[in-house]
């Protein structure tokens, strides 16, 4: 009986460490502590200022629930991909993302090609977007997303880090400025990357 109790405790301790290790790590920016510092270690956070309002995304766990904060959807036949970051602003869910084309991304392994890419967002072929709960319509923007680091990991994931900024040019949020954006996520190949049409 003692041996069984020891094994159960050991499993619980290991599980707790695993959950803590996977929590997002928010390190305040030294210049503006409302947003996370730019890092390249897979801290599972992102942040930006939206017309001086804070938007942030931090991966979290509340057993048994897991908050997914990022997805990458690749359409090989269209040579396009979509990168989405899920977060909140003033307790409202809000997604920031990018639809990108002509980057030669056909598979998960091709994501390494993004490293060092500064993609100009023209609002048509390549665009930034912002979607907020309860606000319909297209919210597309122009600006730039910079994929500073794409680091493959041995466990079939990658660390994706970079910066972004854009201005919404249509829809209900026309004229909205998304500034000082930065992201640093561990992306799991099996759960956060979709190839082709979902379904």
């Amino acid at each position: 009986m003692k041996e069984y109790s020891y094994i159960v405790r050991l499993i619980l301790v290991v599980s707790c460490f695993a959950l803590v290790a996977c929590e997002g790590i928010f390190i305040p920016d030294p210049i503006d502590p409302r947003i996370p510092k730019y890092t390249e270690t897979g801290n599972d956070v992102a942040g930006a200022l939206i017309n001086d309002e804070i938007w942030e995304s931090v991966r979290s766990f509340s057993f048994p629930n897991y908050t997914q904060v990022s997805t990458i959807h690749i359409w090989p036949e269209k040579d396009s991909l979509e990168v989405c970051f899920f977060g909140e602003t003033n307790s409202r869910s809000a997604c920031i993302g990018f639809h990108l084309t002509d980057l030669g991304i056909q598979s998960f392994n091709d994501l390494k090609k993004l490293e060092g890419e500064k993609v100009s967002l023209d609002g048509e072929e390549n665009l930034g977007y912002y979607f907020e709960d309860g606000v319909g319509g297209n919210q597309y923007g122009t600006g730039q997303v910079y994929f500073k680091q794409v680091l493959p990991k041995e466990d079939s994931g990658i660390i994706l880090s970079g910066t972004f900024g854009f201005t919404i040019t249509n829809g209900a949020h026309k004229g909205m400025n998304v500034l000082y954006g930065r992201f640093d996520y561990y992306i799991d190949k099996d759960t956060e990357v979709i190839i082709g049409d979902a379904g």
Side-chain angles (χ1 to χ4, degrees):
M1 193 67 172
K2 284 184 178 180
E3 184 177 335
Y4 175 75
S5 176
Y6 171 77
I7 291 172
V8 169
R9 282 188 298 212
L10 182 63
I11 290 171
L12 287 172
V13 169
V14 170
S15 298
C16 287
F17 277 118
L19 287 175
V20 170
C22 294
E23 289 279 341
I25 302 169
F26 186 101
I27 301 171
D29 185 88
I31 296 172
D32 190 338
R34 297 176 296 167
I35 54 179
K37 175 182 177 182
Y38 176 76
T39 55
E40 297 183 341
T41 53
N43 282 349
D44 284 330
V45 298
L49 295 180
I50 301 177
N51 288 354
D52 208 41
E53 184 179 11
I54 303 162
W55 171 87
E56 72 175 37
S57 168
V58 182
R59 191 185 307 275
S60 64
F61 288 90
S62 55
F63 189 79
N65 298 320
Y66 159 78
T67 303
Q68 185 168 335
V69 291
S70 58
T71 61
I72 297 177
H73 195 152
I74 301 168
W75 289 275
E77 69 282 0
K78 299 177 183 177
D79 193 6
S80 68
L81 76 151
E82 190 170 88
V83 181
C84 302
F85 306 139
F86 306 101
E88 291 187 349
T89 175
N90 279 349
S91 300
R92 297 186 310 272
S93 295
C95 169
I96 287 178
F98 310 94
H99 181 79
L100 310 172
T101 60
D102 300 325
L103 294 172
I105 309 296
Q106 304 288 309
S107 68
F108 174 80
N109 290 335
D110 286 339
L111 291 172
K112 181 66 179 166
K113 294 178 182 179
L114 290 175
E115 184 163 283
E117 284 288 329
K118 292 181 180 179
V119 182
S120 177
L121 306 172
D122 59 15
E124 295 178 9
E125 296 295 319
N126 296 311
L127 50 91
Y129 61 80
Y130 173 86
F131 291 110
E132 186 179 291
D133 274 359
V135 179
N138 297 330
Q139 316 288 318
Y140 299 141
T142 59
Q144 179 179 277
V145 57
Y146 179 17
F147 297 97
K148 288 188 175 184
Q149 177 186 259
V150 182
L151 179 63
K153 303 298 286 182
E154 291 178 6
D155 58 357
S156 76
I158 58 169
I159 291 177
L160 184 70
S161 308
T163 60
F164 61 89
F166 57 90
T167 298
I168 301 295
T169 54
N170 64 358
H173 294 297
K174 184 174 181 179
M176 173 184 281
N177 294 310
V178 179
L179 303 173
Y180 307 112
R182 64 278 314 273
F183 56 90
D184 180 24
Y185 291 115
Y186 171 80
I187 308 287
D188 184 87
K189 176 182 179 181
D190 297 322
T191 62
E192 296 174 301
V193 178
I194 302 166
I195 308 291
D197 293 327

